[in-house]
Amino acid sequence: MSTDPRFDGPGPDEVWRTALAEGRLLLQHCRDCEATRFPPAMVCGACGSPDLEWREASGRGVVHASTTVREREGGYNVSLIDLAEGARMMSRVENVDSGAVRIGMEVVARIVPEPEPFVVFDPAEGGAA
Amino acid sequence: MSHPLRGRAAIAGIGNTKRWNAPGRLPFDQLQEAAILALEDCGLALKDVDGLFCAISSSGLPVLNAAERLGINVRHADGTMVGGASFLFHLQNAVSALETGLCEVALICYGSNQLSAGGRLASMPDPQHYETPYKPRYPISSYALAAARHMHEYGTTRENLADVALAARAWANLNPDAFARGPLTRDEILSSRMVSDPIARADCCLVTDGGAALVLTRADRARDLAKPPVHVLGTGVAIGHRQISAMPDLTTTAAVESSRHAYEMAGVGPSDIDHVMVYDAFTITTLLFLEDLGFCPKGEGGAFVSSGAIAPGGTLPVNTNGGGLSCNHPGMYGLFTIIEAVEQLRGTCGERQVGGAEIALAHANGGVLSSQATAILGTAATI
Ligand SMILES: [Zn+2]
C-alpha cells in the first residue's frame, strides 16, 4: 500500500460526528489561510489547501437568517448561524418563540445527544436580542 | 473581435407538450412527445439526432432511458444534473459540441409527471446530513432564508414579493396555454397560507406536469430548416454551493458570474436585452436575478418590480409566459425559459408578444440558488 499519509485517519464527517457524540463541538481551520470550513471537507474552501486542523469551537454565534417552518401542528425554527470562528451552519434556535428569533441575535450552541447528536442554539445570557 | 462561439449555433426547433396535468403519462412519455414536436417543428427526424442532452428528476440515468425510448444512436451525450438549470448547462455544451463537430443535430429534452403523480416536488435523492436534523422544508426554507436576509439588508417587503406574483399572473392572463389564469389580487397573495416565513403559498411556483425539447444545429444548417433560426449569442454557467448554509452571500447569487460570461460571449449588456426570462421558483428568485443579471442595482429589485416595470406595459418584459408562478412548473422548469424566449424572437406569442424583440435573455436556477445558467438568444438580424 502506498497511500498518502496526509489523508490518513478518519474522514472529516466521522471526526465531526465522533466529537459531537463526546459532547465536543469541533471546527476545521486551514493551516495555510486560517479560514474555517463547515460542513467538514478534505480541502479548504477559501484557498484549496488540504492542510486542515480541528480546533474546539467557542459555541458562540449570531443569527444570520431565520425562518419559521409552518406545519399543521405548529411552527418550528430553522436558522443560519454565523459561528464566532467564521463558519456558517444551519440549525435552530430553541427556548424562544420562533417568530422572536431575529437576525443579529446572539446565541450559544448546545449539543442534543439523541437520536444522532446534533447542534442547536439558545439565546445567549444577556446577549443582544 | 467577437467571441468564436457567438451565434455559431442556433435553436432550429422547439417542442412543448403543454400537458400540465396529464394523468397516465410517465415523465419519459412527456419527454418523447416534446422531442417529436421539436423535430417536426424544424423538419428534422429522430434519425438525424446524434447528440442527446437530458435531465429528469426521477431518473439517475436519463440519457440511457431517453436514447432507448427514442430509438436513437448518439455519438455525443450529456446528462449533467444540476437541478432546474441543467438544460442551460446542456445548451452550452451543445453549442460547443456542434461547433467542434462532435455532433450535427443536438436534442435537449425533458419530461415530468410531478402533478399527476401526486403533486409533490420530486427531487433527486440527495440527502444533506448537516441540514436534515433541522427539517427545513426542501427547497422552500432555503429560499425563505435568502428572502429574510434580503428583507433585512435592503428593506424588501412581502408586498414587493407579491408584486412579482401579480406580474406573472398578468402575463399568464395573456397566454392561453398558461395553467393558472384568472384574477389575482395583492391581498389574496399576502393572505395565502404561510409555508416558511416570509414565503407564503402564493410566493411559490406551480406544481404541474410537462415536457419540453429543443433541437439545435450549426447556424448555417439552421438557416435551411423550416423555422427562422434563433441564434445562441452567448451562454454562461456558474455553481455557487449545494446547501444554503454554504452560500457565501444569501442576497447575491452566482448568476452574477453566469451572466457575465454570457454577456461577454454575446457582446451585449443588460440595456440591449428586449425580453427576459428568469426562473421564478419563488417570488424572491425573480428579485435576486433581476439584480444579479444587471437589470437593476443590488437591493433595488423590490422597488423595481413594484414600479410595474416587469408587468405587461412595463419597461422590461419579464416571464411573459406567466413563469413558473403562473404558466407551468414541472419541477425542473429551466428549459421553458428558452422555449418562451424562442417564441418571442420568432414573433409567435400573440397577445403577449413583445414588439420588435431581437435579443432575449433566459436565465435558469437549480438546487437552492446553487447552479446558475444564462443564455442570450438573438434573431438573424443580430448576427
Ligand atoms: Zn485555506
Side-chain angles (χ1 to χ4, degrees):
Chain A
M1 298 288 276
S2 59
T3 57
D4 189 322
R6 293 177 301 162
F7 303 101
D8 282 351
D13 288 87
E14 179 71 13
V15 173
W16 164 264
R17 282 189 284 111
T18 303
L20 275 191
E22 295 167 353
R24 300 162 68 214
L25 180 59
L26 300 186
L27 276 179
Q28 287 175 301
H29 293 250
C30 176
R31 282 200 184 92
D32 286 325
C33 80
E34 285 297 316
T36 46
R37 184 64 157 146
F38 187 85
M42 298 293 280
V43 297
C44 172
C47 78
S49 167
D51 194 6
L52 304 178
E53 71 172 352
W54 292 93
R55 297 181 200 158
E56 206 90 30
S58 67
R60 288 183 292 108
V62 172
V63 174
H64 184 75
S66 186
T67 182
T68 302
V69 180
R70 309 290 187 105
E71 296 283 358
R72 273 192 198 84
E73 315 80 63
Y76 57 88
N77 183 258
V78 173
S79 290
L80 295 178
I81 309 296
D82 284 341
L83 293 169
E85 290 78 10
R88 181 177 299 157
M89 66 184 297
M90 180 177 281
S91 186
R92 66 171 174 252
V93 183
E94 295 192 340
N95 292 310
V96 59
D97 184 72
S98 179
V101 176
R102 294 277 171 264
I103 289 173
M105 194 175 179
E106 293 179 16
V107 292
V108 178
R110 172 164 51 86
I111 297 171
V112 177
E114 300 289 336
E116 286 276 301
F118 65 103
V119 182
V120 298
F121 288 80
D122 297 316
E125 293 285 335
Chain B
M1 205 187 87
S2 77
H3 190 283
L5 286 175
R6 184 189 191 276
R8 296 287 299 174
I11 297 168
I14 56 174
N16 180 357
T17 67
K18 305 175 189 176
R19 296 185 193 275
W20 311 136
N21 185 7
R25 279 164 201 271
L26 299 172
F28 283 108
D29 298 339
Q30 291 263 13
L31 176 148
Q32 290 169 83
E33 179 179 344
I36 293 163
L37 293 175
L39 287 161
E40 288 177 353
D41 185 49
C42 60
L44 290 172
L46 283 166
K47 65 173 170 43
D48 298 314
V49 175
D50 60 357
L52 177 61
F53 305 75
C54 62
I56 210 157
S57 311
S58 53
S59 171
L61 299 170
V63 169
L64 304 189
N65 283 283
E68 179 189 295
R69 283 168 172 80
L70 292 168
I72 55 180
N73 294 309
V74 299
R75 61 191 185 108
H76 187 69
D78 177 8
T80 297
M81 178 53 159
V82 290
S86 299
F87 314 99
L88 274 69
F89 279 65
H90 298 161
L91 180 77
Q92 174 162 288
N93 185 349
V95 165
S96 136
L98 288 164
E99 180 65 13
T100 52
L102 290 175
C103 65
E104 299 292 325
V105 175
L107 172 68
I108 304 177
C109 47
Y110 168 65
S112 163
N113 66 346
Q114 107 175 335
L115 173 59
S116 59
R120 302 287 297 199
L121 184 69
S123 291
M124 285 277 287
D126 186 40
Q128 300 299 320
H129 301 294
Y130 291 88
E131 295 191 343
T132 308
Y134 311 105
K135 304 190 189 72
R137 188 166 304 170
Y138 189 86
I140 300 175
S141 296
S142 296
Y143 289 87
L145 289 163
R149 192 70 206 177
H150 201 275
M151 290 176 162
H152 174 78
E153 289 189 27
Y154 300 112
T156 305
T157 63
R158 284 200 62 215
E159 286 75 11
N160 295 146
L161 297 178
D163 289 344
V164 172
L166 277 183
R169 179 58 60 88
W171 283 112
N173 285 339
L174 301 176
N175 177 9
D177 294 320
F179 188 61
R181 287 160 56 84
L184 181 67
T185 66
R186 213 192 211 193
D187 283 346
E188 286 174 312
I189 297 166
L190 293 173
S191 61
S192 66
R193 183 175 55 84
M194 190 57 76
V195 182
S196 189
D197 302 53
I199 292 184
R201 181 67 205 88
D203 291 297
C204 302
C205 60
L206 302 169
V207 175
T208 69
D209 299 343
L214 305 178
V215 175
L216 285 99
T217 66
R218 282 192 295 278
D220 51 359
R221 183 168 183 186
R223 274 190 276 276
D224 299 328
L225 296 173
K227 293 285 166 63
V230 167
H231 297 264
V232 182
L233 303 181
T235 61
V237 306
I239 295 171
H241 54 276
R242 172 66 187 97
Q243 313 170 61
I244 197 69
S245 61
M247 185 171 178
D249 175 351
L250 289 186
T251 64
T252 302
T253 72
V256 171
E257 282 84 46
S258 70
S259 65
R260 189 178 67 238
H261 299 318
Y263 285 134
E264 280 174 8
M265 189 188 295
V268 302
S271 62
D272 299 309
I273 307 296
D274 301 313
H275 169 247
V276 178
M277 294 296 296
V278 295
Y279 193 145
D280 53 343
F282 301 94
T283 50
I284 184 65
T285 60
T286 299
L287 285 197
L288 290 171
F289 296 145
L290 288 171
E291 296 171 354
D292 293 343
L293 299 170
F295 295 110
C296 64
K298 180 50 68 184
E300 293 180 20
F304 183 70
V305 167
S306 290
S307 75
I310 69 169
T315 53
L316 185 72
V318 175
N319 293 352
T320 49
N321 60 346
L325 290 164
S326 277
C327 181
N328 76 88
H329 190 279
M332 297 200 296
Y333 167 80
L335 197 44
F336 292 90
T337 65
I338 300 279
I339 298 271
E340 174 70 5
V342 169
E343 290 215 67
Q344 287 286 353
L345 295 177
R346 285 180 177 178
T348 55
C349 285
E351 239 193 309
R352 69 182 192 282
Q353 179 65 43
V354 174
E358 300 283 358
I359 300 181
L361 180 149
H363 181 80
N365 162 68
V368 290
L369 297 168
S370 312
S371 56
Q372 304 296 333
T374 311
I376 298 172
L377 309 177
T379 63
T382 65
I383 295 302

